[in-house]
Amino acid sequence: MNTLPFKLSALALSFFSVAASAEETKVPDEIIVVTAQGQQSPWLGSAASSFRRDLANASLQIDAAALFQHIPGIQADSRANYAQDSRLSARGFGSRSSFGIRGIRLLQDGIPLSSPDGQGQLSSVLLDQLESVEVLTGPLAVLYGNAAGGVVALQSRWPTENLASVQLSHSQFARQQLLSGALVQGKHALSISLKNAELQSPRQHSNAKKQQAQWLWQSAFDNELKLQLRYDWSYDPLLQDPLGLTLQEWQNDPRQTAANALRFNTRKFSKQQQWSLNLSQQLEQQSWRLAAWAGQRDVGQYLGFDGVAPTSAGGVVDLSRPYQGLDASYSWQLGQLRLTAGASLEQSTDKRRGYVNNQGVQGDLRRNEEGEVQSVDLYSRFVWDLTPDWQLSGGVRHSELDFDVTDFYITAQNPDDSGSTSFNKISAALAVNFAQSEHLSWYLSTGRGFETPTFTEMAYQTDGVGLNLGLQASTNQQWELGNKWLQHNWRSSAAVFLVKSENELVVDRSIGGRTSYRNASETKRTGVELSALWFASAAWQHQWTLTQLNAVFQQGELDGNWLPGVARQQAQWQISWMPQQSSDLTVQLTTLYRSKVATSDQNQLFAPASTVYHLKLMAESSLADLALKYWLGVDNLTDKNYVGAVVVNQANGRAFEPALPRSVSMGLNLSF
């Protein structure tokens, strides 16, 4: 393991401890989290690894991976490829996703961003208008249902005052503009935001254009009734895909573009719109919430092969996905016991066509099918204050998922791939929290969850026709022990965990454009997560995270192999210097370390370990009614060639996705 970041951290800590003034700045006395208990609760009293990060309205964001720095247990891959979306994994869950996010439940303002079968993505989210991001890992995450190896909960920035702002950002790889305005009248507020981004990288054939809009409405009434409406719109007219590289190609020239990307003009476009509603009432002894949402996502993508084989799904993807859902819950207080009961209904339909890719031109039809997945969930949760020091919490959730696919493309060479299947699963978790003092708490938790195959994974059988109905849901049993400390100028947490999974899904065969999956034997994940935040003085702040994750297959031909896409060690250290207590100027140096990563189940190739540095300067000033924020950033300070992400189980060997070289960016935010 590379010890460089730890040596630098220790050296800097000893130096700055001496240099810092005696004046101290306290961390917040109370941090509120929501995901662990399904309602607002103090971070110190929640029996789970739950972390909240408040997002300052500073530099514009386009890569969702940047939101998850300094959150232990989360691996956020920077792909520098906007046609494939950011990828997250939580304690190994979601690491095998070849595109987008799976295995992690995504929420925004309580509204799911994940489809019922567990697939999701963050590319449609207007990241710059988020107030906070909260991540829940461990046993209590299973209470969120299918594919909830972890939970990512995004909270929008709801307007609190009349405001108009303009943000501009420029670098050699990105140009972004954001216009937003808010109008607040009494207990009613309206916010509108518009964003445009043009992106590129030093690799040929990697340009991207993104446009986004968001409309927010919030009303509060005298009887504690609150109404929130949100409309999200995103359009990506061009997302070029330079494809991954083989190990030899990456070693020779990490800035090159795969030959097939140019030959087949690999690219993607997407469009998504969604309406969502939250209606809630919070009374002294009871509360309720009703959420509803509906939207549609359209995707067109040209892949790096022709897909001409009769049984291929084609080299051009044409997908239309309408979706909708309802969620209702009711909570009440009975002495020291808080109970919540609820139900949810979600539905998603994939209308998918595939065509031959004639070197960048759409050709003959190769796929035409419609797949529908519907989930019905019933859930209950409780929090019981046994004594002032002891708290018991937990819950149970019953999930029923129905998959149905109708194949409209049937020929003599291409068989009927229609079929249906269903899954009935129960998730449950139990946790106990002990408050040793007002500053220190301990917790122990356990839970059992599940993860069904997605439409993509059950599309084909290795041998035979129709859906791969033999695939089983993967189940996992989790245990976790941890503590949290919050006092004066320190905040820290530590957790040790064990996760045992059965029927883990892996790639079985990938031939002629058809990829089939199978259930592997057991997997075992053990690990330690450490996090600390220290305000050394009014001017100096340190933040550390360390994750040690041992994730291996057990039994069978993969026995002892690492899970692909998962780093065994991750470490982050950030030091912030604020020379004035008013925080008009902030200088941050961030060190990120990641150990080597296997690219496939067979562990034949590994992406090497890397240590990367980022530097950022932020400043604020005001002129009459005009507030100004400006920033200057240097990412990958030493211009290191490293692998930002791997494409897991890539049959053609193009598993390495190069990260961006040194990038200098600057930006300005003007608020009226």
Side-chain angles (χ1 to χ4, degrees), residues 311-605:
T311 58
S312 170
V316 179
V317 176
D318 181 4
L319 170 68
S320 179
R321 176 182 294 160
Y323 58 91
Q324 52 275 320
L326 289 169
D327 186 281
S329 62
Y330 184 84
S331 302
W332 61 97
Q333 183 88 31
L334 299 173
Q336 302 303 312
L337 180 64
R338 298 189 295 277
L339 296 172
T340 299
S344 68
L345 171 65
E346 299 179 41
Q347 186 180 48
S348 176
T349 303
D350 281 10
K351 301 176 181 179
R352 189 183 297 268
R353 290 179 174 85
Y355 302 89
V356 173
N357 184 350
N358 291 324
Q359 298 188 10
V361 178
Q362 180 177 303
D364 295 335
L365 184 68
R366 283 294 182 270
R367 186 180 193 180
N368 184 7
E369 66 185 32
E370 181 174 303
E372 181 180 283
V373 56
Q374 179 176 290
S375 67
V376 179
D377 287 34
L378 299 175
Y379 58 89
S380 63
R381 306 188 68 158
F382 74 92
V383 180
W384 187 9
D385 296 319
L386 302 172
T387 71
D389 299 331
W390 289 90
Q391 184 185 84
L392 187 67
S393 60
V396 63
R397 187 181 189 111
H398 177 268
S399 302
E400 181 177 339
L401 293 100
D402 296 314
F403 293 78
D404 184 77
V405 174
T406 303
D407 191 353
F408 301 104
Y409 181 71
I410 305 170
T411 68
Q413 294 79 28
N414 189 77
D416 186 354
D417 290 318
S418 301
S420 61
T421 188
S422 62
F423 299 90
N424 287 275
K425 292 292 182 179
I426 293 179
S427 306
L430 187 66
V432 61
N433 190 81
F434 170 60
Q436 182 174 337
S437 70
E438 61 178 332
H439 305 294
L440 175 64
S441 67
W442 297 82
Y443 66 88
L444 177 66
S445 62
T446 184
R448 184 169 181 83
F450 72 98
E451 184 176 4
T452 68
T454 65
F455 270 133
T456 300
E457 292 161 344
M458 65 173 62
Y460 305 114
Q461 297 187 47
T462 301
D463 298 300
V465 299
L467 286 179
N468 193 349
L469 302 180
L471 287 179
Q472 303 177 49
S474 173
T475 57
N476 60 82
Q477 182 70 52
Q478 304 187 40
W479 296 267
E480 181 178 351
L481 171 66
N483 73 2
K484 301 175 183 179
W485 182 32
L486 177 63
Q487 184 176 18
H488 302 306
N489 58 335
W490 273 98
R491 182 174 79 225
S492 66
S493 66
V496 294
F497 60 88
L498 167 64
V499 181
K500 287 189 173 183
S501 297
E502 298 178 348
N503 297 317
E504 192 86 23
L505 287 161
V506 298
V507 171
D508 190 18
R509 184 187 298 173
S510 183
I511 298 176
R514 284 193 175 216
T515 301
S516 59
Y517 291 79
R518 64 181 176 88
N519 292 105
S521 57
E522 299 178 358
T523 63
K524 181 180 179 181
R525 306 168 202 176
T526 58
V528 179
E529 296 168 356
L530 305 174
S531 175
L533 173 64
W534 176 39
F535 285 89
S537 71
W540 294 100
Q541 174 186 319
H542 302 263
Q543 189 168 5
W544 300 271
T545 61
L546 173 64
T547 301
Q548 172 71 37
L549 173 60
N550 301 314
V552 296
F553 291 101
Q554 291 188 312
Q555 303 177 353
E557 73 277 13
L558 299 176
D559 186 23
N561 286 6
W562 297 10
L563 263 66
V566 179
R568 284 204 164 187
Q569 294 96 20
Q570 287 192 107
Q572 300 176 339
W573 168 58
Q574 179 177 281
I575 183 166
S576 302
W577 177 49
M578 297 157 285
Q580 301 180 30
Q581 191 171 0
S582 59
S583 299
D584 291 336
L585 174 65
T586 302
V587 181
Q588 290 181 341
L589 176 64
T590 303
T591 303
L592 305 175
Y593 169 79
R594 179 181 294 178
S595 64
K596 66 180 183 178
V597 175
T599 65
S600 68
D601 297 328
Q602 289 71 31
N603 288 186
Q604 295 174 335
L605 294 176

Side-chain angles (χ1 to χ4, degrees), residues 78-109:
S78 297
R79 311 188 74 163
N81 182 351
Y82 302 103
Q84 297 298 334
D85 300 322
S86 300
R87 181 174 61 203
L88 302 178
S89 62
R91 295 182 176 177
F93 290 102
S95 62
R96 69 172 177 272
S97 175
S98 57
F99 59 91
I101 298 170
R102 65 149 303 152
I104 299 176
R105 187 68 165 168
L106 303 177
L107 305 170
Q108 184 175 7
D109 301 329

